Amino acid sequence: MPTRPSDSEVTTTRPTKIPKMEDSIDVVSASTATAPIPSYRPDAKERRYDRQLRLWASSGQKSLEQARVLLVGCNATGCQSLKNLVLPGISHFTILTDAKTTAQDVATNFFLHPESLGQNVADEAVKYLKELNPAVEGVANVQDPATLLKSEPDFFTSFTLALCCDVDPDLELSIADLLWQHSSTPGNRDVPLMSIRNSGFIGRISIQLREHCVIDTHPDSTHTLRIDQPFPELETYARSLDLDSMDSMEHSHIPYLVLLVRALCDWRDAHEGQAPSFEFRDEFKETLRKGKHKYDEENFDEAIGQAFKCWNTSEIPYEVESLLSRDNVKNITASSHNLHILLHTLGIYLQSHPLPPISPSLPDMHSSTESYITLQNMYKRQYQSDLAEYKSVLDKVLDSVGLPSGAVPVTEIESFVKNSGGVDIVNGSPLSAQRDVKGLTREAINEHFADPESENHLAIAEHLAILAAERYRTKHSIWPGTTSDTTADCQILEESIKEMSGLTALPGMAKEAIVEVVRGGFSSLPTTAAFIGGLVAQEAIKLVTDQYSPLDNTVIVDLVKSTTTAFKL
Amino acid sequence: MGANGLANGSSSLSGSNGLNGESSKRYASYLANSNRYEAVDRMLDRRGPWTDEQFVGGSEAKAFLRQKAKILVIGAGGLGCEILQNLALTGFSDIHVIDMDTIDISNLNRQFLFRESDVGKSKALCAADFIMSRVPGVKVTPYHGKIQDHAPDFYMQFAIIIAGLDSISARRWINATLVNMVDEENEDSLKPLIDGGTEGFKGQARVILPTITSCYECSIDMLTPPTVFPVCTIANTPRLPEHCIEWASVLEWPKTFKDKKLDTDDPEHIEWLYQKATARAAMFKIEGVTWQLTQGVVKNIIPAIASTNAIIAASCCNEAFKIATTCAPYLNNYMMYTGNSSIYTYTFEHGKRDECPVCGGEASLVRISKDWTLEQLVEHLKEAQEFKLSRPSLSSESGPLFWYDPPGIYEATKGNLDKLVFDLLGPEGGAVSVTDKALPAANLSLEIQFE
Ligand SMILES: [Zn+2]
């Protein structure tokens, strides 16, 4: 669960009584520091951003501080999204719209004021959003977006990311097409686009991106212990221990990892080189249990608990393997993304190694300091040696595509080699394809919409209702639900969905989804705006920092049911 | 208080004197526009497909929301700032907020009602001022202090209570207080509690109807246990940088400073710990002690960002809106959100726990060894995940076994701590009732049996 105790409670959970241990070392001698230690106390900026640096570190922060975000349209949802990006410190935002502030805008958008009424809404919102963080630059562009798209398309491609909030469906598709064309041109940076719609309690976010490389998904664990395939130094060390003649203190502080490697070696020696298979698990655990000198040796208990690692074979992770088989990883050029080059190199490395380079990180385990540090250093040495080999392969790869050694920064190489299981590549699709009733949308209709039992049934129904509403808007120039005759609007959307889906009768909750979508009249309920604004910013941060896996590629928010449903179109 | 947001105008309706003619006209024209709440009105004038049959909507629902519904926000921090914003825009006009904290620079990356010039000021006061300056017609009443300083009467005045807290003890306290307040004869005594919490990219929102749905205490065993390092590891076999930091704060600080309490907000104190921990790490060849890590370990810092707070606070306020107006069914009763990989929510009904000390009625069975002393039982109640008490006082059917307070009973019963529970209760064990300040006015019933 996400909640953790407060500061005040932690003090009470800390042990208050210190048991006197006979084998304790002299703590006084431990505190006699020698040379003065530099402080590295955080500066004002680090203190301001402290709580977020603990999530995406200075590398993520640096990317954030270079990000330029464009918001087209200026409703409550768009401004809430920007608020959550200005606070953590993006470089720049521009709000593009020629709209004037209405009373409805003021009532739903916290970043407007009654005095904003009738003024350019972009000017007003920029003014109030900028107050949130003096380090962020904010600009209002009060031109008509459609005109600007024709006269100055480069304006749109000059951003890191574009958000479209409540933008006319046709205009939105034109902007999306422009960005897709731009991103598909070799040598150009990908400019992802997020399309945002909301109506009352219902909302939808769609992401268009060409390809997104995640350099750190932040997996739960980055350890690659490989107990089943110990590297030579580890095996030699484990074999060298004279377990029987050790004193009890030493014996009860051998790290469980070493105990397992040793037990595995002993087992193999006694079984013609065969590792224990799953069927022999009890027998194997019994040999560990017999090795105890005293019944309460915690390190042996840990070893028994982790014994499954001896018969679970370490393999190249499935996700890594599938990344290696991608065309743009197999075939690289001088302009390939660094992650493609690093993965390509890993593919070659794996031709002569059974597994990717080992990670230097170790979990904590019951052990003496000395044994633990000894073990940690062995893993670090192995990592350094794997890294050196990997780098020599990389140099050849770089050379083969005409890049100098050093074309990929050392920090990137090291972070990849330490955590090659923690990368990901997301393939996107153009917004126009997501809006067509073909391909994945067709599949979603057949699989989830036509089947009221499907767990995504309602979410797909809501998506189709929004899609039908967008077509309505294009045809009638207003959104459904904006006049008092909502029944007629529902009727029109029903017919539209029948036509899209090819179904003659609407299944399950489809009619209900339509009624709820029409009810809101595509206005911004402040709570829905804040909810979606939070999600948009979260995904924007992931896209900008290349950390954590982003939404791929659509989510429906239903705040009647208090649910979100993500799917790919 | 709070010059923030006032740069270009008034702080409330009454403060509009300073406006120039043009903006004053715009202000008046905004207030004159009866259609300005269109977005919210649509939800109240129109019935949704899942709206309850009892829903009347229209002017009655609007009047309750905008004139009658008095709502309390507990916490004016990361969640609190967002909650206040959302409630004000949704139409709640009588909002009260309570928080004992003052503003720190590390709050500014998400607590968006505060500015650098507000550092050191009261969160509750500052937040209330800001909301009133931005949203006309909303009254926010701030309380700078602890929730425990208010009697049940205080909580009785509200229609709904929303908690955006980072403290488990405060949550347990308000939960137990609201459950105890329920009087079956008086419908108004049942106060819906909406609770939000976040950590990094994760969070949860839940609706608690005291005595009817599962309460906060019912799910206390779902909390991640805090990382506690064994003292012998800290003292003798450190392996991680965290072990060295704990050594400095838990062992070295009290030894060096005797009576001076460690203040984790004082950078000089953190500096001292950092220096000590670094020296110790160097001696043991342990890498990775940094200033940030030192601060993180001793303050138990939880990563926090604006976007997660926005999502969870919005969910809490959305439930408050639905409860106050019945325009849509409210959450039954738990939504979990995880954003570190794509977007994922899990919405489910968390069940009541029969042996919940706050809302259940049944005794918890505790099986202990015959050689346990009463002190061991007391320690168990402090540590076990399903109890997590801080200062439990225990009584058997024949009277106090051990009480922390008042001093007279403490003196009279402390001798029992060394005695065996087996001897105190007899070979069959028996019922033990426990009180603790974590659970105001609630009794935890235990049924002790021997193994
Ligand atoms: Zn309960």
Side-chain angles (χ1 to χ4, degrees), chain B residues 89-106:
Chain B
L89 292 177
T90 302
F92 288 91
S93 65
D94 190 0
I95 305 170
H96 295 241
V97 60
I98 179 164
D99 197 310
M100 60 186 283
D101 273 351
T102 54
I103 297 156
D104 181 77
I105 187 169
S106 65

Side-chain angles (χ1 to χ4, degrees), chain B residues 214-215 217-218 356 358-360:
Chain B
S214 91
C215 79
E217 202 70 25
C218 286
C356 170
V358 170
C359 77

Side-chain angles (χ1 to χ4, degrees), chain A residues 67 71 110 120 134-135 227 257 262 273 277 283 285 369 377 399 418 477 491 504 506 527 557:
Chain A
L71 170 65
F110 196 72
N120 286 320
I227 294 171
L257 200 155
R262 173 60 175 267
S277 59
E283 210 176 311
K285 286 183 187 172
T369 303
N377 285 336
D399 189 52
K418 278 179 189 166
S477 297
Q491 201 60 47
T504 45
L506 291 186
T527 37
V557 172

Side-chain angles (χ1 to χ4, degrees), chain A residues 2 21 115 364 538 542 562, chain B residues 26 199 232 239 319 339 347:
Chain A
M21 292 181 59
E115 290 160 34
D364 191 25
Q538 196 105 293
K542 294 184 204 170
S562 307
Chain B
R26 294 201 292 266
E199 174 181 348
C232 63
R239 298 173 293 271
E319 300 311 328
T347 305

Side-chain angles (χ1 to χ4, degrees), chain B residues 3-283:
Chain B
N4 46 49
L6 302 182
N8 80 325
S10 65
S11 67
S12 66
L13 286 175
S14 59
S16 36
N17 306 342
L19 299 175
N20 64 41
E22 272 308 306
S23 32
S24 168
K25 263 189 224 158
R26 294 201 292 266
Y27 204 110
S29 137
Y30 171 73
L31 293 179
N33 187 331
S34 62
N35 202 24
R36 63 187 188 275
Y37 295 128
E38 185 181 63
V40 173
D41 285 350
R42 279 181 181 153
M43 313 319 290
L44 301 180
D45 290 332
R46 298 170 178 177
R47 174 182 290 277
W50 304 297
T51 304
D52 192 275
E53 280 183 18
Q54 311 249 303
F55 173 69
V56 183
S59 55
E60 199 181 312
K62 290 174 198 168
F64 181 76
L65 173 69
R66 291 170 191 156
Q67 280 136 40
K68 296 208 183 93
K70 200 191 256 193
I71 189 161
L72 175 67
V73 179
I74 302 180
L79 283 168
C81 285
E82 302 274 352
I83 290 169
L84 290 169
Q85 163 198 253
N86 297 337
L87 291 179
L89 292 177
T90 302
F92 288 91
S93 65
D94 190 0
I95 305 170
H96 295 241
V97 60
I98 179 164
D99 197 310
M100 60 186 283
D101 273 351
T102 54
I103 297 156
D104 181 77
I105 187 169
S106 65
N107 301 145
L108 302 183
N109 80 327
R110 60 196 186 284
Q111 302 180 14
F112 68 101
L113 304 179
F114 312 137
R115 305 288 172 261
E116 234 167 281
S117 55
D118 297 324
V119 168
K121 293 179 187 167
S122 153
K123 285 187 181 179
L125 271 62
C126 234
D129 275 356
F130 194 102
I131 295 288
M132 288 192 286
S133 75
R134 184 62 57 85
V135 186
V138 175
K139 186 169 151 241
V140 185
T141 311
Y143 305 85
H144 178 75
K146 293 163 77 170
I147 51 170
Q148 291 89 344
D149 294 343
H150 296 271
D153 278 359
F154 172 79
Y155 295 102
M156 199 60 115
Q157 64 180 305
F158 301 104
I160 298 169
I161 292 162
I162 307 192
L165 289 158
D166 61 358
S167 150
I168 290 177
S169 58
R171 279 203 181 93
R172 290 177 83 176
W173 189 90
I174 189 66
N175 175 66
T177 300
L178 295 181
V179 173
N180 289 324
M181 244 165 62
V182 176
D183 170 3
E184 280 175 26
E185 311 281 289
N186 176 10
E187 210 181 294
D188 279 347
S189 66
L190 196 145
K191 307 292 179 189
L193 169 64
I194 304 169
D195 178 56
T198 67
E199 174 181 348
F201 285 123
K202 300 174 184 174
Q204 83 281 338
R206 63 193 292 189
V207 171
I208 295 170
L209 298 182
T211 71
I212 295 173
T213 66
S214 91
C215 79
Y216 185 72
E217 202 70 25
C218 286
S219 59
I220 199 85
D221 58 343
M222 281 167 70
L223 300 174
T224 317
T227 320
V228 180
F229 302 111
V231 175
C232 63
T233 297
I234 299 169
N236 308 309
T237 57
R239 298 173 293 271
L240 307 179
E242 288 87 344
H243 296 155
C244 302
I245 296 163
E246 284 281 295
W247 171 84
S249 65
V250 178
L251 300 183
E252 280 304 281
W253 181 276
K255 212 169 84 184
T256 310
F257 295 104
K258 304 281 186 266
D259 299 325
K260 188 156 105 189
K261 209 171 163 279
L262 177 66
D263 176 3
T264 55
D265 288 327
D266 185 336
E268 294 305 325
H269 290 196
I270 301 288
E271 179 75 36
W272 189 90
L273 297 177
Y274 165 69
Q275 297 285 343
K276 287 284 171 190
T278 307
R280 182 169 171 86
M283 198 185 90

Side-chain angles (χ1 to χ4, degrees), chain B residues 401 406-416:
Chain B
L401 287 170
I409 302 188
Y410 173 75
E411 286 303 323
T413 57
K414 71 175 183 190
N416 283 344

Side-chain angles (χ1 to χ4, degrees), chain A residues 430-508:
Chain A
L431 196 69
S432 55
Q434 298 176 33
R435 296 289 176 264
D436 264 349
V437 191
K438 292 177 191 155
L440 290 173
T441 303
R442 171 60 53 197
E443 276 178 38
I445 289 171
N446 295 343
E447 200 175 321
H448 303 294
F449 183 62
D451 174 15
E453 300 300 310
S454 154
E455 59 173 350
N456 283 0
H457 174 69
L458 179 60
I460 298 293
E462 286 165 344
H463 168 62
L464 292 178
I466 295 172
L467 210 52
E470 288 174 329
R471 294 179 177 199
Y472 177 111
R473 158 87 204 197
T474 300
K475 195 169 166 194
H476 302 278
S477 297
I478 55 163
W479 286 102
T482 40
T483 66
S484 56
D485 194 356
T486 54
T487 317
D489 285 346
C490 289
Q491 201 60 47
I492 295 172
L493 295 201
E494 280 185 29
E495 291 309 316
S496 175
I497 293 179
K498 279 183 195 164
E499 195 189 309
M500 278 192 260
S501 64
L503 299 172
T504 45
L506 291 186

Side-chain angles (χ1 to χ4, degrees), chain B residues 199-413:
Chain B
E199 174 181 348
F201 285 123
K202 300 174 184 174
Q204 83 281 338
R206 63 193 292 189
V207 171
I208 295 170
L209 298 182
T211 71
I212 295 173
T213 66
S214 91
C215 79
Y216 185 72
E217 202 70 25
C218 286
S219 59
I220 199 85
D221 58 343
M222 281 167 70
L223 300 174
T224 317
T227 320
V228 180
F229 302 111
V231 175
C232 63
T233 297
I234 299 169
N236 308 309
T237 57
R239 298 173 293 271
L240 307 179
E242 288 87 344
H243 296 155
C244 302
I245 296 163
E246 284 281 295
W247 171 84
S249 65
V250 178
L251 300 183
E252 280 304 281
W253 181 276
K255 212 169 84 184
T256 310
F257 295 104
K258 304 281 186 266
D259 299 325
K260 188 156 105 189
K261 209 171 163 279
L262 177 66
D263 176 3
T264 55
D265 288 327
D266 185 336
E268 294 305 325
H269 290 196
I270 301 288
E271 179 75 36
W272 189 90
L273 297 177
Y274 165 69
Q275 297 285 343
K276 287 284 171 190
T278 307
R280 182 169 171 86
M283 198 185 90
F284 283 98
K285 301 188 173 63
I286 295 167
E287 292 170 14
V289 174
T290 63
W291 218 96
Q292 278 81 356
L293 183 70
T294 307
Q295 197 192 25
V297 169
V298 299
K299 283 179 69 114
N300 188 33
I301 290 178
I302 293 160
I305 49 173
S307 42
T308 313
N309 285 332
I311 295 162
I312 296 303
S315 176
C316 290
C317 295
N318 179 53
E319 300 311 328
F321 174 59
K322 293 191 289 185
I323 290 172
T325 62
T326 67
C327 70
Y330 52 82
L331 170 65
N332 180 30
N333 50 28
Y334 207 118
M335 184 200 77
M336 242 162 70
Y337 164 75
T338 310
N340 36 354
S341 183
S342 187
I343 292 171
Y344 176 76
T345 52
Y346 179 52
T347 305
F348 66 103
E349 181 176 355
H350 185 276
K352 276 183 90 160
R353 192 157 61 100
D354 291 339
E355 62 274 23
C356 170
V358 170
C359 77
E362 301 192 1
S364 296
L365 181 64
V366 180
R367 289 179 65 84
I368 63 171
S369 157
K370 287 188 177 111
D371 55 18
W372 267 31
T373 61
L374 188 63
E375 183 169 23
Q376 278 173 299
L377 179 61
V378 170
E379 288 302 313
H380 176 71
L381 294 174
K382 290 182 187 175
E383 278 157 27
Q385 201 54 35
E386 66 270 35
F387 302 123
K388 287 271 165 222
L389 302 180
S390 56
R391 282 160 63 89
S393 290
L394 286 66
S395 308
S396 72
E397 277 155 357
S398 50
L401 287 170
F402 169 72
W403 286 14
Y404 273 103
D405 298 300
I409 302 188
Y410 173 75
E411 286 303 323
T413 57

